Amino acid sequence: MSYNATAKFLQRVLCKQPLGVRTYSVEATFPIKPIDTHKLENTPATEVQINKDDAISYYTKMQIIRRMELKADQLYKQKIIRGFCHLYDGQEACCAGIEASLTPKDDVITAYRAHGWAYIRGVPVCNILAELFGRKLGCAKGKGGSMHMYSKNFYGGNGIVGAQVPLGAGIAFAHKYRNSDTVTVACYGDGAANQGQIFESFNMSQLWKLPAIFVCENNRYGMGTSVERASASTDYFTRGDYIPGLRVDGMDVLAVREATRFAKEHAVKEGPILMELVTYRYHGHSMSDPGTSYRTRDEVKEIRQNLDPIMNFREKIISAGFVTKQDVATIDAEVKQHVENETAKALASTEPDFDQIACDIYVTDTPLSIRSCNIYNQLHHQPSV
Amino acid sequence: MALIKCLNASRGVLRSVGARYLSATSQKHAPTEMYVRDALNSAMDEEMNRDDTVFLMGEEVAQYDGAYKVSRGLWRKYGDQRVIDTPITESGFAGMAVGAAMAGLRPICEFMTFNFSMQAIDQVINSAAKSHYMSGGMVTVPVVFRGPNGAAAGVAAQHSQCFAAWYGHCPGLKVVSPFNSEDCRGLLKAAIRDPNPVVFLENELMYGTAFPVSDEAMSEDFLIEIGKAKVERVGKHVTLVSHSRPVGQCLEAAEQLASEGIDCEVINLRSIRPLDIETVQQSVMKTNHLISVEGGWPMFGIGSEVCAQIMEGPAFDYLDAPAIRVTGADIPMPYAQVLEDGALPGVKDIILSVKKTLHIQPITESA
């Protein structure tokens, strides 16, 4: 599960020089929507700089996530993916923007809408899709599924709403214990924001000044319940009370990047900070939710047309002169092909061997015998590698 | 009083709990004797000294020296970074312990009693127990959840539940239930060194009991294998299998029965999961009679599991009578002394069950 496959692909895209096209700009400055703050004296910048390579990288990665999620939608409908499948399309700027201000040594944990996060933290598309298909090539060997994908410095992928936040605070605790200058990003949604254990995490993180960035990805609906119907206060960035907060346009990758840069600085020096990213999911809560019973099709359409993070960023990078329309079309085609290739690889992978069923329950030096469904056949737990 | 009663119920060398220890860390009453409390304390002390990723967190563990003084002296020795007082937020701090373990530290997370672990049980089961499997082996969770389990004295219904069966039910966890000081030392050290999540069920009524400990048990590298039971008393007429404090009651019952010519074999399970059914099978194949004894409720409990596994295995053919269980009564724990006495198994329940099983008293005769 390394960066290699993606890095190679990006390198190809970045180095490609389309015939007859010249781009001269290497850096540009963009304004970002003002970031609301809570209990902060300093604020993030209102203008951000970006260079061409980063711009193309963010665009490409967001587009890969978009394509991958749409591919998952397609394959779910073909019954190749089963069970739960919570898609991230519309929210790409959140993970891409945050990752842009993190290092590989910072840690991230999120809930179950995790495919985009798994990708941005280094899991190749084929390993994500193979996990969704329940195949050997899956990043959790096919044993976790959609909600349980992990990577180095990425702790999933967690199915119980809100439970990942205390886990994230614990990871931040470990960073502090070791005196490192790294942060832990713990994501949760607007639905989880009312969970008691989140407030317990806020309390301990602030008490012990843990280097934690709590990120509320507010996509305005907790399953079928809008924020107004679930929360007495929908100003999620203030809900940390004594913990300072930021409310950021989660559809703008540059705003998210800048806010994260600011938040990381705060978290390492002062302690926890809360970042609310106002975003939107095009799909319903999961593949079994059409997403139209609690919101209008017009609302979804309007957001797609006006606030789409990828479309808006595309316009920015073209206007900055980093790329032309043709360049972008080429990138899009490459991304499409990449996802197709990765899908094919994942589909070609077989299901796990049955003898894997009782492995990885424990860390063990010796083989273990595990009860099966009847007393006449035993399952076998191999020693850990 | 209740405390004296509990002392009487334990075999081994008994000492008054009035004795107070004012100095820090590792305590021994006499060179070859150790209180259960001090066994736990010394185990944590030695493991924290050996490995600086080991730390202790929980309510009152630091500056109060532990609600039951089990962590006495550790904060003074190791300081704020290694011994941490948490707010009264089990769900949050148990989750944090799991997260810290995932990130490579070795937390000991104390629940003041396991009753409070219900607030955090999602983190113990869904985050700790299952993560290694769900991640295909990538994530490890070397956390120990420890604290007193089961009944104390006069603490009524919400503070008296035994959780051995609940946690023992779940694959991915190891669950351990020590009886004496040697068990506590060896099993807690093993639990802390174990790369898997371990639920370590202590017993508050045992903290003030001293037991003889071998020289071997005093060594810093003394470990007891998790998943292996111990035959505490060899016998030939009936097998008594138990865990935690009731092991002491079995030993006491065995002594009384010995004077009547009935020879009991007493097995101390030590571990709930993995359950060492082989030791029980070996014993039953010799004695032909099985009685399980536990403090927890009867339905779906430890005894249920032992009996079911005996039925399924080779020892069944050796039974001369149905395997039966002695358990807590199927009631919420009452407060009044006379009622509480009837809620928990006593030596008399064990003796009655042995005699009935061995047909020493006719079945129709009432107890």
Side-chain angles (χ1 to χ4, degrees):
Chain A
M1 309 321 126
S2 70
Y3 276 96
N4 286 342
T6 308
K8 282 195 189 122
F9 167 63
L10 283 173
Q11 211 175 20
R12 249 191 19 252
V13 170
L14 289 171
C15 292
K16 199 142 186 180
Q17 290 295 325
L19 285 170
V21 174
R22 292 246 174 87
T23 53
Y24 296 97
S25 308
V26 290
E27 218 170 76
T29 303
F30 291 101
I32 54 175
K33 248 198 236 161
I35 290 175
D36 297 321
T37 61
H38 169 74
K39 302 218 167 137
L40 277 167
E41 275 169 21
N42 301 326
T43 58
T46 48
E47 262 190 359
V48 294
Q49 281 178 317
I50 180 161
N51 68 51
K52 174 180 165 176
D53 285 349
D54 284 343
I56 294 176
S57 167
Y58 304 160
Y59 177 81
T60 308
K61 285 181 179 166
M62 288 196 290
Q63 193 66 296
I64 290 175
I65 294 171
R66 176 68 58 93
R67 281 255 148 230
M68 176 179 75
E69 294 294 77
L70 294 179
K71 180 58 66 177
D73 168 283
Q74 196 183 42
L75 292 163
Y76 192 92
K77 286 167 177 159
Q78 291 173 30
K79 298 197 193 299
I80 293 173
I81 300 176
R82 35 194 288 277
F84 289 134
C85 189
H86 308 87
L87 298 178
Y88 200 71
D89 51 312
Q91 299 186 212
E92 297 87 353
C94 296
C95 67
I98 290 177
E99 185 68 26
S101 284
L102 295 181
T103 70
K105 287 210 167 80
D106 297 308
D107 282 322
V108 176
I109 190 168
T110 188
Y112 46 77
R113 199 174 302 281
H115 310 157
W117 274 109
Y119 171 75
I120 212 83
R121 284 258 104 191
V123 184
V125 174
C126 66
N127 301 112
I128 293 174
L129 290 175
E131 188 60 35
L132 293 174
F133 306 161
R135 307 287 173 96
K136 257 187 203 159
L137 201 58
C139 54
K141 301 182 188 166
K143 287 156 97 163
S146 169
M147 300 183 290
H148 307 296
M149 299 185 183
Y150 308 79
S151 176
K152 193 167 186 320
N153 302 100
F154 177 57
Y155 292 87
N158 291 276
I160 305 297
V161 171
Q164 76 279 9
V165 178
L167 294 179
I171 298 166
F173 178 93
H175 286 224
K176 177 139 190 171
Y177 192 95
R178 293 188 175 109
N179 291 315
S180 81
D181 60 356
T182 44
V183 294
T184 303
V185 172
C187 299
Y188 59 96
D190 49 278
N194 299 312
Q195 277 261 317
Q197 59 189 319
I198 291 184
F199 294 95
E200 297 185 12
S201 307
F202 288 166
N203 181 48
M204 286 182 276
S205 300
Q206 179 75 348
L207 259 182
W208 301 332
K209 303 233 169 304
L210 303 183
I213 304 175
F214 295 107
V215 174
C216 178
E217 288 179 295
N218 174 10
N219 60 22
R220 334 228 190 140
Y221 297 93
M223 202 154 140
T225 306
S226 68
V227 292
E228 296 79 30
R229 291 205 303 125
S231 300
S233 162
T234 55
D235 292 325
Y236 297 105
F237 71 114
T238 68
R239 301 280 297 274
D241 187 12
Y242 38 75
I243 293 185
L246 304 166
R247 179 166 51 195
V248 186
D249 178 4
M251 305 302 259
D252 177 356
V253 67
L254 297 179
V256 177
R257 186 185 79 164
E258 168 56 21
T260 307
R261 183 203 61 76
F262 178 92
K264 181 170 171 174
E265 213 176 272
H266 179 98
V268 169
K269 279 207 213 102
E270 320 273 348
I273 186 167
L274 209 167
M275 203 162 73
E276 176 189 343
L277 304 180
V278 185
T279 184
Y280 201 82
R281 53 164 162 82
Y282 295 139
H283 272 83
H285 163 71
S286 71
M287 286 304 297
S288 51
D289 169 27
T292 49
S293 63
Y294 48 87
R295 53 187 196 175
T296 61
R297 286 183 207 275
D298 282 343
E299 176 187 293
V300 185
K301 190 165 150 198
E302 198 190 311
I303 302 214
R304 255 193 221 278
Q305 282 173 351
N306 300 316
L307 295 180
D308 185 279
I310 299 175
M311 176 190 78
N312 286 338
F313 194 62
R314 177 191 302 137
E315 276 164 27
K316 285 198 168 93
I317 62 177
I318 291 172
S319 77
F322 292 151
V323 287
T324 63
K325 275 201 184 129
Q326 184 55 47
D327 293 333
V328 170
T330 306
I331 294 175
D332 288 348
E334 295 240 4
V335 165
K336 185 165 184 232
Q337 191 56 53
H338 176 67
V339 172
E340 290 299 327
N341 295 345
E342 296 286 281
T343 304
K345 261 193 244 170
L347 283 171
S349 174
T350 53
E351 285 197 297
D353 297 329
F354 190 77
D355 63 17
Q356 276 297 299
I357 188 175
C359 295
D360 304 317
I361 303 173
Y362 294 100
V363 178
T364 174
D365 295 334
T366 55
L368 305 170
S369 224
I370 305 281
R371 265 186 91 105
S372 73
C373 300
N374 65 64
I375 62 169
Y376 307 103
N377 309 107
Q378 290 283 316
L379 298 174
H380 301 284
H381 188 312
Q382 295 310 318
S384 310
V385 244
Chain B
M1 219 212 85
L3 219 44
I4 312 275
K5 277 174 72 78
C6 87
L7 290 177
N8 289 338
S10 298
R11 193 183 179 260
V13 182
L14 302 174
R15 292 285 181 270
S16 160
V17 293
R20 291 241 167 254
Y21 293 87
L22 298 173
S23 53
T25 60
S26 264
Q27 300 294 321
K28 288 178 256 177
H29 182 74
T32 53
E33 264 193 14
M34 202 177 213
Y35 281 79
V36 165
R37 171 184 286 113
D38 300 325
L40 296 165
N41 184 288
S42 63
M44 288 195 284
D45 188 0
E46 287 164 20
E47 294 304 303
M48 286 174 71
N49 188 47
R50 174 185 177 268
D51 178 354
D52 61 18
T53 66
V54 177
F55 69 96
L56 172 64
M57 66 191 296
E59 295 155 10
E60 311 300 345
V61 297
Q63 298 188 20
Y64 196 84
D65 271 337
Y68 301 100
K69 306 296 179 237
V70 175
S71 57
R72 177 173 44 215
L74 294 179
W75 173 69
R76 230 167 297 135
K77 181 171 176 182
Y78 293 102
D80 286 330
Q81 195 214 17
R82 309 281 303 281
V83 185
I84 297 150
D85 281 333
T86 62
I88 309 173
T89 53
E90 277 78 5
S91 179
F93 72 70
M96 284 182 69
V98 175
M102 289 178 173
L105 299 181
R106 285 185 172 267
I108 305 168
C109 176
E110 178 177 300
F111 290 122
M112 195 184 281
T113 77
F114 265 92
N115 301 286
F116 313 141
S117 75
M118 284 199 282
Q119 308 248 296
I121 200 165
D122 174 66
Q123 296 288 3
V124 178
I125 307 301
N126 278 322
S127 302
K130 299 178 185 172
S131 287
H132 194 60
Y133 190 81
M134 293 191 296
S135 65
M138 198 185 289
V139 173
T140 57
V141 191
V143 63
V144 174
F145 296 104
R146 53 158 287 274
N149 175 59
V155 294
Q158 292 179 339
H159 290 76
S160 305
Q161 189 169 330
C162 174
F163 290 85
W166 283 26
Y167 288 118
H169 190 55
C170 301
L173 284 182
K174 292 192 181 179
V175 180
V176 160
S177 186
F179 160 56
N180 59 22
S181 299
E182 199 154 307
D183 287 355
C184 284
R185 261 188 68 76
L187 289 171
L188 185 52
K189 287 162 80 64
I192 292 167
R193 296 190 196 188
D194 200 304
N196 296 286
V198 181
V199 170
F200 191 90
L201 303 170
E202 300 163 6
N203 187 296
E204 192 224 313
L205 298 173
M206 299 300 287
Y207 285 152
T209 307
F211 291 93
V213 285
S214 62
D215 286 339
E216 195 210 343
M218 295 313 298
S219 139
E220 276 179 11
D221 282 317
F222 173 65
L223 302 174
I224 290 179
E225 188 185 339
I226 293 177
K228 278 275 167 296
K230 183 178 181 211
V231 179
E232 295 285 350
R233 185 188 193 282
V234 176
K236 56 181 188 281
H237 294 139
V238 59
T239 300
L240 302 175
V241 57
S242 185
H243 72 98
S244 187
R245 183 166 167 267
V247 172
Q249 294 172 304
C250 291
L251 290 168
E252 170 135 359
E255 251 192 48
Q256 288 187 32
L257 288 164
S259 65
E260 297 179 51
I262 301 169
D263 191 25
C264 303
E265 180 145 294
V266 177
I267 297 178
N268 172 6
L269 282 173
R270 285 177 159 176
S271 293
I272 304 296
R273 179 185 264 273
L275 187 69
D276 181 6
I277 202 67
E278 283 79 26
T279 298
V280 182
Q281 281 167 339
Q282 292 301 319
S283 178
V284 170
M285 281 154 79
K286 180 177 65 167
T287 68
N288 314 119
H289 297 85
L290 175 62
I291 301 175
S292 73
V293 182
E294 68 196 283
W297 289 320
M299 292 188 70
F300 314 101
I302 306 302
S304 312
E305 182 62 24
V306 169
C307 290
Q309 288 201 31
I310 289 296
M311 289 275 285
E312 288 176 339
F316 171 74
D317 292 319
Y318 291 77
L319 282 171
D320 286 343
I324 61 167
R325 302 166 292 163
V326 172
T327 69
D330 197 21
I331 60 174
M333 181 64 68
Y335 167 67
Q337 179 86 76
V338 60
L339 301 180
E340 187 183 64
D341 288 347
L344 288 169
V347 172
K348 60 175 175 28
D349 297 290
I350 302 170
I351 289 174
L352 170 68
S353 302
V354 167
K355 289 185 172 176
K356 293 277 196 190
T357 296
L358 293 175
H359 298 288
I360 288 162
Q361 267 170 282
I363 302 288
T364 48
E365 199 180 293
S366 53

